[in-house]
């Protein structure tokens, strides 16, 4: 499904009203990271349990199959899924993928894996795309033939409320009101300690507007004084979260130190702190 606007609710409504006979497994492709192997392993475990249950029912005794799915490799799991067949629709699984063109899924390996899964007899795939170049993901003939997509143009014009939170924030451009709002949503999803660390950095930046940024060592000292972090490792974990969402940028100070700066103008940063409080 493609077209302007979020299709998350549309796909979920489709699943709850139309896919009632399927077991539905959801992949949120808009997330920064997706453990695709864990997803297919979960599907394989479901079929494995079905196989054990059917054998018990036929034999009237406890199945001799092992309790755990035997294969640990992605190839082994897909091979197992390819061998599953049933005329009973209740045994089928539908893989519902929000943003199959998302950052964690758009690499060749992930797309090839999903294409192979789509060929499994008891698995169906429903997905949405939003990136303008998404069709190029399946430019290779083999992957394209495996997916066999049926395309539906469904412009919802709905805001990307959930998906937008996880895409990199372009804080230095666009309207300040929108970027402040987006940054607030991200910060509110973090721990209180992480929010407090961000506040320390923001207050320093507002008080020292002409400086290139706050030295990492100075931020660590301030946060230690306020009992917000216990070690440099803890601070680095918070900074990684900030950088992943483009809330904070790193630059080299003229004296060689690493400095941190929030890419927001002072007015927008002040408003952000007020709303975060």
């Amino acid at each position: 499904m493609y077209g302007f606007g979020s299709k998350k609710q549309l796909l979920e409504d489709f699943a709850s009203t139309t896919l009632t006979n399927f077991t539905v497994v959801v992949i949120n492709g808009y997330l920064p990271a997706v453990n695709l192997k864990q997803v297919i392993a979960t599907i394989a475990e479901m079929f494995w349990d079905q196989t054990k249950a059917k054998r018990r029912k036929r034999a009237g005794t406890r199945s001799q199959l092992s309790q755990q799915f035997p294969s640990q490799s992605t190839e082994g799991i897909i091979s197992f899924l390819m061998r599953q067949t049933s005329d009973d629709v209740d045994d089928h699984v539908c893989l519902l993928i929000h943003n199959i063109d998302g950052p964690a899924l758009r690499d060749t390996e992930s797309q090839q894996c999903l294409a192979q899964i789509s060929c499994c007899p008891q698995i169906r795939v429903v997905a949405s795309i939003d990136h303008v170049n998404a069709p190029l993901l399946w430019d290779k003939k083999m992957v394209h033939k495996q997916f066999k997509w049926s395309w539906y143009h469904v412009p919802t014009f709905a805001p990307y409320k959930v998906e937008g939170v996880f895409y990199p924030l372009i804080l230095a451009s666009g309207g300040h009101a929108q970027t402040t709002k987006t940054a607030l949503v991200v910060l509110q999803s973090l721990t209180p300690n992480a929010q407090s660390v961000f506040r320390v950095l923001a207050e320093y930046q507002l008080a020292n507007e002409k400086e290139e940024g706050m030295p990492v060592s100075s931020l660590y000292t301030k946060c230690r004084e306020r009992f917000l972090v216990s070690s440099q490792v803890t601070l680095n974990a918070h900074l990684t979260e900030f950088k992943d969402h483009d809330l904070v940028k790193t630059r080299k100070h003229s004296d060689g130190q690493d400095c941190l700066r929030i890419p927001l103008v002072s007015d927008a940063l002040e408003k952000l702190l007020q709303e975060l409080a």
Side-chain angles (χ1 to χ4, degrees), residues 40-276:
I40 63 172
T42 299
I43 297 173
E45 287 285 357
M46 291 164 52
F47 284 124
W48 189 245
D49 289 340
Q50 287 177 6
T51 301
K52 289 189 293 185
K54 287 177 180 178
R55 291 196 180 184
R56 281 198 301 268
K57 189 175 181 180
R58 285 201 302 266
T61 59
R62 185 179 179 82
S63 173
Q64 297 301 308
L65 289 172
S66 64
Q67 294 303 306
Q68 296 295 321
F69 181 71
S71 180
Q72 297 299 319
S73 69
T74 301
E75 294 77 10
I77 296 172
I78 292 177
S79 177
F80 168 78
L81 293 174
M82 290 295 290
R83 296 195 301 270
Q84 304 309 299
T85 57
S86 174
D87 294 329
D88 189 350
V89 71
D90 290 336
D91 292 340
H92 286 58
V93 168
C94 183
L95 199 55
L96 194 73
I97 308 174
H98 298 298
N99 294 97
I100 194 172
D101 56 340
L105 297 177
R106 64 175 63 137
D107 60 282
T108 303
E109 186 178 348
S110 294
Q111 290 296 321
Q112 183 61 59
C113 179
L114 290 170
Q116 289 176 318
I117 294 170
S118 73
C119 295
C120 297
Q122 286 183 242
I123 296 178
R124 303 292 181 267
V125 179
V126 177
S128 67
I129 61 170
D130 282 290
H131 197 287
V132 66
N133 291 324
L136 296 178
L137 291 172
W138 312 300
D139 198 31
K140 294 180 179 179
K141 291 183 179 180
M142 182 59 69
V143 175
H144 180 71
K145 287 180 179 179
Q146 287 175 311
F147 271 124
K148 300 177 183 176
W149 291 119
S150 292
W151 294 82
Y152 292 88
H153 184 225
V154 287
T156 64
F157 301 100
Y160 295 93
K161 289 182 179 179
V162 177
E163 305 94 317
V165 170
F166 297 97
Y167 276 88
L169 305 180
I170 310 173
L171 295 183
S173 62
H176 296 314
Q178 181 60 37
T179 53
T180 301
K181 181 180 178 182
T182 311
L184 179 63
V185 172
V186 173
L187 286 167
Q188 288 174 334
S189 71
L190 303 180
T191 64
N193 259 32
Q195 294 176 20
S196 297
V197 171
F198 182 85
R199 180 176 290 279
V200 171
L201 176 59
E203 289 172 348
Y204 179 93
Q205 183 168 314
L206 289 171
N208 303 274
E209 291 185 21
K210 294 184 179 180
E211 292 192 13
E212 296 176 81
M214 185 176 190
V216 175
S217 57
S218 299
L219 177 62
Y220 176 61
T221 301
K222 286 278 188 185
C223 290
R224 283 273 298 197
E225 290 172 355
R226 299 188 189 186
F227 302 102
L228 298 176
V229 298
S230 57
S231 67
Q232 185 69 48
V233 173
T234 308
L235 177 62
N236 289 344
H238 292 318
L239 293 179
T240 298
E241 286 185 306
F242 299 155
K243 291 172 185 175
D244 285 347
H245 293 291
D246 279 1
L247 288 171
V248 169
K249 298 290 186 183
T250 305
R251 61 173 66 177
K252 282 286 184 184
H253 195 274
S254 53
D255 62 5
Q257 289 190 79
D258 283 334
C259 290
L260 304 166
R261 188 166 185 83
I262 301 166
L264 276 175
V265 296
S266 295
D267 289 347
L269 188 53
E270 286 178 355
K271 183 178 180 182
L272 176 60
L273 293 182
Q274 291 170 2
E275 294 187 8
L276 187 60

Side-chain angles (χ1 to χ4, degrees), residues 8 12 26-34 96-99 104-105:
K8 187 174 187 296
E12 289 173 355
V26 178
I27 297 179
N28 293 319
Y30 51 78
L31 294 175
V34 174
L96 194 73
I97 308 174
H98 298 298
N99 294 97
L105 297 177

